[in-house]
PDB file of all heavy atoms in Angstrom:
ATOM      1  N   ILE A   6     -21.169 -25.005 -51.867  1.00  0.00           N
ATOM      2  CA  ILE A   6     -19.767 -25.391 -51.642  1.00  0.00           C
ATOM      3  C   ILE A   6     -19.441 -26.692 -52.035  1.00  0.00           C
ATOM      4  O   ILE A   6     -18.320 -27.042 -52.368  1.00  0.00           O
ATOM      5  CB  ILE A   6     -19.225 -24.995 -50.134  1.00  0.00           C
ATOM      6  CG1 ILE A   6     -17.841 -24.913 -50.013  1.00  0.00           C
ATOM      7  CG2 ILE A   6     -19.997 -25.994 -49.204  1.00  0.00           C
ATOM      8  CD1 ILE A   6     -17.399 -24.363 -48.752  1.00  0.00           C
ATOM      9  N   PHE A   7     -20.408 -27.689 -51.858  1.00  0.00           N
ATOM     10  CA  PHE A   7     -20.156 -29.046 -52.165  1.00  0.00           C
ATOM     11  C   PHE A   7     -19.861 -29.189 -53.657  1.00  0.00           C
ATOM     12  O   PHE A   7     -19.126 -30.187 -54.011  1.00  0.00           O
ATOM     13  CB  PHE A   7     -21.382 -29.886 -51.773  1.00  0.00           C
ATOM     14  CG  PHE A   7     -21.482 -30.175 -50.374  1.00  0.00           C
ATOM     15  CD1 PHE A   7     -20.614 -29.509 -49.362  1.00  0.00           C
ATOM     16  CD2 PHE A   7     -22.527 -30.925 -49.749  1.00  0.00           C
ATOM     17  CE1 PHE A   7     -20.650 -29.736 -47.906  1.00  0.00           C
ATOM     18  CE2 PHE A   7     -22.686 -31.056 -48.395  1.00  0.00           C
ATOM     19  CZ  PHE A   7     -21.735 -30.531 -47.580  1.00  0.00           C
ATOM     20  N   ILE A  10     -16.234 -28.829 -53.893  1.00  0.00           N
ATOM     21  CA  ILE A  10     -15.583 -30.040 -53.368  1.00  0.00           C
ATOM     22  C   ILE A  10     -15.515 -31.129 -54.406  1.00  0.00           C
ATOM     23  O   ILE A  10     -14.414 -31.737 -54.693  1.00  0.00           O
ATOM     24  CB  ILE A  10     -16.123 -30.485 -52.145  1.00  0.00           C
ATOM     25  CG1 ILE A  10     -15.883 -29.445 -51.009  1.00  0.00           C
ATOM     26  CG2 ILE A  10     -15.758 -31.766 -51.669  1.00  0.00           C
ATOM     27  CD1 ILE A  10     -16.555 -29.762 -49.725  1.00  0.00           C
ATOM     28  N   PHE A  29     -16.658 -37.455 -48.710  1.00  0.00           N
ATOM     29  CA  PHE A  29     -15.503 -36.808 -47.928  1.00  0.00           C
ATOM     30  C   PHE A  29     -15.873 -36.644 -46.548  1.00  0.00           C
ATOM     31  O   PHE A  29     -16.927 -36.717 -46.022  1.00  0.00           O
ATOM     32  CB  PHE A  29     -15.320 -35.367 -48.636  1.00  0.00           C
ATOM     33  CG  PHE A  29     -16.529 -34.564 -48.710  1.00  0.00           C
ATOM     34  CD1 PHE A  29     -16.871 -33.601 -47.707  1.00  0.00           C
ATOM     35  CD2 PHE A  29     -17.384 -34.645 -49.893  1.00  0.00           C
ATOM     36  CE1 PHE A  29     -17.997 -32.865 -47.863  1.00  0.00           C
ATOM     37  CE2 PHE A  29     -18.523 -33.888 -49.939  1.00  0.00           C
ATOM     38  CZ  PHE A  29     -18.843 -33.000 -49.062  1.00  0.00           C
ATOM     39  N   ARG A  30     -14.720 -36.352 -45.765  1.00  0.00           N
ATOM     40  CA  ARG A  30     -14.912 -36.286 -44.223  1.00  0.00           C
ATOM     41  C   ARG A  30     -15.627 -34.923 -43.901  1.00  0.00           C
ATOM     42  O   ARG A  30     -15.264 -33.951 -44.460  1.00  0.00           O
ATOM     43  CB  ARG A  30     -13.554 -36.357 -43.595  1.00  0.00           C
ATOM     44  CG  ARG A  30     -13.011 -37.792 -43.602  1.00  0.00           C
ATOM     45  CD  ARG A  30     -11.757 -37.945 -42.797  1.00  0.00           C
ATOM     46  NE  ARG A  30     -11.140 -39.200 -43.247  1.00  0.00           N
ATOM     47  CZ  ARG A  30     -11.591 -40.480 -42.978  1.00  0.00           C
ATOM     48  NH1 ARG A  30     -12.703 -40.644 -42.167  1.00  0.00           N
ATOM     49  NH2 ARG A  30     -10.977 -41.440 -43.508  1.00  0.00           N
ATOM     50  N   ASP A  31     -16.587 -34.978 -43.051  1.00  0.00           N
ATOM     51  CA  ASP A  31     -17.232 -33.807 -42.504  1.00  0.00           C
ATOM     52  C   ASP A  31     -16.267 -32.948 -41.763  1.00  0.00           C
ATOM     53  O   ASP A  31     -15.512 -33.427 -40.964  1.00  0.00           O
ATOM     54  CB  ASP A  31     -18.408 -34.209 -41.600  1.00  0.00           C
ATOM     55  CG  ASP A  31     -19.395 -33.103 -41.346  1.00  0.00           C
ATOM     56  OD1 ASP A  31     -18.979 -32.086 -40.780  1.00  0.00           O
ATOM     57  OD2 ASP A  31     -20.542 -33.219 -41.819  1.00  0.00           O
ATOM     58  N   ILE A  32     -16.210 -31.633 -42.094  1.00  0.00           N
ATOM     59  CA  ILE A  32     -15.333 -30.665 -41.400  1.00  0.00           C
ATOM     60  C   ILE A  32     -15.559 -30.609 -39.922  1.00  0.00           C
ATOM     61  O   ILE A  32     -14.663 -30.097 -39.279  1.00  0.00           O
ATOM     62  CB  ILE A  32     -15.406 -29.425 -42.255  1.00  0.00           C
ATOM     63  CG1 ILE A  32     -14.163 -28.575 -42.090  1.00  0.00           C
ATOM     64  CG2 ILE A  32     -16.612 -28.501 -41.879  1.00  0.00           C
ATOM     65  CD1 ILE A  32     -14.074 -27.464 -43.076  1.00  0.00           C
ATOM     66  N   ASN A  33     -16.714 -30.966 -39.533  1.00  0.00           N
ATOM     67  CA  ASN A  33     -17.195 -30.730 -38.180  1.00  0.00           C
ATOM     68  C   ASN A  33     -17.669 -32.127 -37.530  1.00  0.00           C
ATOM     69  O   ASN A  33     -18.866 -32.218 -37.278  1.00  0.00           O
ATOM     70  CB  ASN A  33     -18.212 -29.668 -38.031  1.00  0.00           C
ATOM     71  CG  ASN A  33     -18.621 -29.368 -36.447  1.00  0.00           C
ATOM     72  OD1 ASN A  33     -17.797 -29.658 -35.682  1.00  0.00           O
ATOM     73  ND2 ASN A  33     -19.860 -28.725 -36.358  1.00  0.00           N
ATOM     74  N   HIS A  39     -17.142 -39.750 -39.589  1.00  0.00           N
ATOM     75  CA  HIS A  39     -18.262 -38.906 -40.029  1.00  0.00           C
ATOM     76  C   HIS A  39     -17.968 -38.484 -41.460  1.00  0.00           C
ATOM     77  O   HIS A  39     -17.128 -37.593 -41.674  1.00  0.00           O
ATOM     78  CB  HIS A  39     -18.495 -37.645 -39.189  1.00  0.00           C
ATOM     79  CG  HIS A  39     -19.730 -36.825 -39.448  1.00  0.00           C
ATOM     80  ND1 HIS A  39     -20.153 -35.762 -38.699  1.00  0.00           N
ATOM     81  CD2 HIS A  39     -20.606 -36.919 -40.619  1.00  0.00           C
ATOM     82  CE1 HIS A  39     -21.227 -35.287 -39.198  1.00  0.00           C
ATOM     83  NE2 HIS A  39     -21.491 -35.921 -40.341  1.00  0.00           N
ATOM     84  N   LEU A  41     -19.646 -37.651 -45.432  1.00  0.00           N
ATOM     85  CA  LEU A  41     -20.649 -37.239 -46.279  1.00  0.00           C
ATOM     86  C   LEU A  41     -20.662 -37.773 -47.628  1.00  0.00           C
ATOM     87  O   LEU A  41     -19.506 -37.803 -48.310  1.00  0.00           O
ATOM     88  CB  LEU A  41     -20.814 -35.758 -46.300  1.00  0.00           C
ATOM     89  CG  LEU A  41     -20.723 -34.952 -45.117  1.00  0.00           C
ATOM     90  CD1 LEU A  41     -20.725 -33.491 -45.452  1.00  0.00           C
ATOM     91  CD2 LEU A  41     -21.965 -35.185 -44.247  1.00  0.00           C
ATOM     92  N   ASN A  88     -30.783 -35.002 -43.873  1.00  0.00           N
ATOM     93  CA  ASN A  88     -31.680 -33.951 -43.356  1.00  0.00           C
ATOM     94  C   ASN A  88     -32.296 -33.225 -44.500  1.00  0.00           C
ATOM     95  O   ASN A  88     -31.704 -33.103 -45.631  1.00  0.00           O
ATOM     96  CB  ASN A  88     -30.818 -32.945 -42.593  1.00  0.00           C
ATOM     97  CG  ASN A  88     -30.178 -33.551 -41.313  1.00  0.00           C
ATOM     98  OD1 ASN A  88     -30.983 -34.381 -40.642  1.00  0.00           O
ATOM     99  ND2 ASN A  88     -29.002 -33.142 -41.069  1.00  0.00           N
ATOM    100  N   GLY A  94     -33.194 -29.709 -40.356  1.00  0.00           N
ATOM    101  CA  GLY A  94     -31.908 -29.131 -39.963  1.00  0.00           C
ATOM    102  C   GLY A  94     -30.884 -29.087 -41.034  1.00  0.00           C
ATOM    103  O   GLY A  94     -29.583 -29.069 -40.759  1.00  0.00           O
ATOM    104  N   GLN A  95     -31.280 -29.053 -42.243  1.00  0.00           N
ATOM    105  CA  GLN A  95     -30.414 -29.005 -43.409  1.00  0.00           C
ATOM    106  C   GLN A  95     -29.810 -27.674 -43.515  1.00  0.00           C
ATOM    107  O   GLN A  95     -30.380 -26.620 -43.454  1.00  0.00           O
ATOM    108  CB  GLN A  95     -31.153 -29.309 -44.811  1.00  0.00           C
ATOM    109  CG  GLN A  95     -30.407 -29.384 -45.896  1.00  0.00           C
ATOM    110  CD  GLN A  95     -31.066 -29.840 -47.166  1.00  0.00           C
ATOM    111  OE1 GLN A  95     -32.301 -29.978 -47.079  1.00  0.00           O
ATOM    112  NE2 GLN A  95     -30.258 -30.082 -48.243  1.00  0.00           N
ATOM    113  N   GLU A  96     -28.361 -27.690 -43.537  1.00  0.00           N
ATOM    114  CA  GLU A  96     -27.667 -26.476 -43.687  1.00  0.00           C
ATOM    115  C   GLU A  96     -27.078 -26.313 -45.072  1.00  0.00           C
ATOM    116  O   GLU A  96     -26.943 -25.139 -45.593  1.00  0.00           O
ATOM    117  CB  GLU A  96     -26.440 -26.402 -42.738  1.00  0.00           C
ATOM    118  CG  GLU A  96     -26.890 -26.461 -41.248  1.00  0.00           C
ATOM    119  CD  GLU A  96     -25.799 -26.684 -40.210  1.00  0.00           C
ATOM    120  OE1 GLU A  96     -24.657 -26.923 -40.804  1.00  0.00           O
ATOM    121  OE2 GLU A  96     -26.041 -26.541 -39.177  1.00  0.00           O
ATOM    122  N   VAL A  97     -26.821 -27.300 -45.752  1.00  0.00           N
ATOM    123  CA  VAL A  97     -26.223 -27.236 -47.137  1.00  0.00           C
ATOM    124  C   VAL A  97     -27.160 -27.892 -48.129  1.00  0.00           C
ATOM    125  O   VAL A  97     -27.578 -28.973 -48.053  1.00  0.00           O
ATOM    126  CB  VAL A  97     -24.783 -27.979 -47.183  1.00  0.00           C
ATOM    127  CG1 VAL A  97     -24.156 -27.925 -48.690  1.00  0.00           C
ATOM    128  CG2 VAL A  97     -23.810 -27.333 -46.175  1.00  0.00           C
ATOM    129  N   HIS A 101     -26.958 -34.819 -48.990  1.00  0.00           N
ATOM    130  CA  HIS A 101     -25.811 -35.515 -48.540  1.00  0.00           C
ATOM    131  C   HIS A 101     -26.223 -36.560 -47.514  1.00  0.00           C
ATOM    132  O   HIS A 101     -27.133 -36.238 -46.611  1.00  0.00           O
ATOM    133  CB  HIS A 101     -24.719 -34.560 -48.048  1.00  0.00           C
ATOM    134  CG  HIS A 101     -25.259 -33.597 -47.074  1.00  0.00           C
ATOM    135  ND1 HIS A 101     -25.844 -32.435 -47.582  1.00  0.00           N
ATOM    136  CD2 HIS A 101     -25.357 -33.540 -45.741  1.00  0.00           C
ATOM    137  CE1 HIS A 101     -26.360 -31.649 -46.558  1.00  0.00           C
ATOM    138  NE2 HIS A 101     -26.066 -32.257 -45.448  1.00  0.00           N
ATOM    139  N   HIS A 103     -25.231 -38.476 -44.343  1.00  0.00           N
ATOM    140  CA  HIS A 103     -24.209 -38.524 -43.277  1.00  0.00           C
ATOM    141  C   HIS A 103     -23.984 -40.053 -42.939  1.00  0.00           C
ATOM    142  O   HIS A 103     -24.880 -40.716 -42.657  1.00  0.00           O
ATOM    143  CB  HIS A 103     -24.692 -37.859 -42.111  1.00  0.00           C
ATOM    144  CG  HIS A 103     -24.906 -36.374 -42.138  1.00  0.00           C
ATOM    145  ND1 HIS A 103     -24.009 -35.378 -41.670  1.00  0.00           N
ATOM    146  CD2 HIS A 103     -25.910 -35.635 -42.719  1.00  0.00           C
ATOM    147  CE1 HIS A 103     -24.477 -34.138 -41.876  1.00  0.00           C
ATOM    148  NE2 HIS A 103     -25.583 -34.238 -42.498  1.00  0.00           N
TER     149      HIS A 103
HETATM  150  P1  LIG B   1     -26.672 -30.632 -42.888  1.00  0.00           P
HETATM  151  O1  LIG B   1     -27.011 -30.017 -41.705  1.00  0.00           O
HETATM  152  O2  LIG B   1     -27.304 -32.022 -42.967  1.00  0.00           O
HETATM  153  O3  LIG B   1     -26.937 -29.810 -44.130  1.00  0.00           O
HETATM  154  O4  LIG B   1     -25.083 -30.869 -42.839  1.00  0.00           O
HETATM  155  C1  LIG B   1     -24.121 -30.142 -43.427  1.00  0.00           C
HETATM  156  C2  LIG B   1     -22.816 -30.824 -43.131  1.00  0.00           C
HETATM  157  O5  LIG B   1     -21.831 -30.222 -43.891  1.00  0.00           O
HETATM  158  C3  LIG B   1     -22.381 -30.355 -41.658  1.00  0.00           C
HETATM  159  O6  LIG B   1     -22.189 -31.498 -40.823  1.00  0.00           O
HETATM  160  C4  LIG B   1     -21.118 -29.576 -41.844  1.00  0.00           C
HETATM  161  O7  LIG B   1     -20.127 -29.745 -40.903  1.00  0.00           O
HETATM  162  C5  LIG B   1     -20.698 -30.093 -43.154  1.00  0.00           C
HETATM  163  N1  LIG B   1     -19.805 -29.175 -44.012  1.00  0.00           N
HETATM  164  C6  LIG B   1     -20.098 -27.936 -44.339  1.00  0.00           C
HETATM  165  N2  LIG B   1     -19.120 -27.432 -45.129  1.00  0.00           N
HETATM  166  C7  LIG B   1     -18.174 -28.491 -45.170  1.00  0.00           C
HETATM  167  C8  LIG B   1     -16.921 -28.552 -45.946  1.00  0.00           C
HETATM  168  N3  LIG B   1     -16.377 -27.476 -46.558  1.00  0.00           N
HETATM  169  N4  LIG B   1     -16.244 -29.750 -45.825  1.00  0.00           N
HETATM  170  C9  LIG B   1     -16.707 -30.843 -45.217  1.00  0.00           C
HETATM  171  N5  LIG B   1     -17.971 -30.737 -44.555  1.00  0.00           N
HETATM  172  C10 LIG B   1     -18.678 -29.501 -44.458  1.00  0.00           C
END
Side-chain angles (χ1 to χ4, degrees):
I6 195 169
F7 286 1
I10 290 175
F29 52 95
R30 291 189 194 284
D31 195 294
I32 204 166
N33 184 23
H39 188 173
L41 304 176
N88 297 321
Q95 185 174 3
E96 292 174 354
V97 180
H101 44 282
H103 294 259

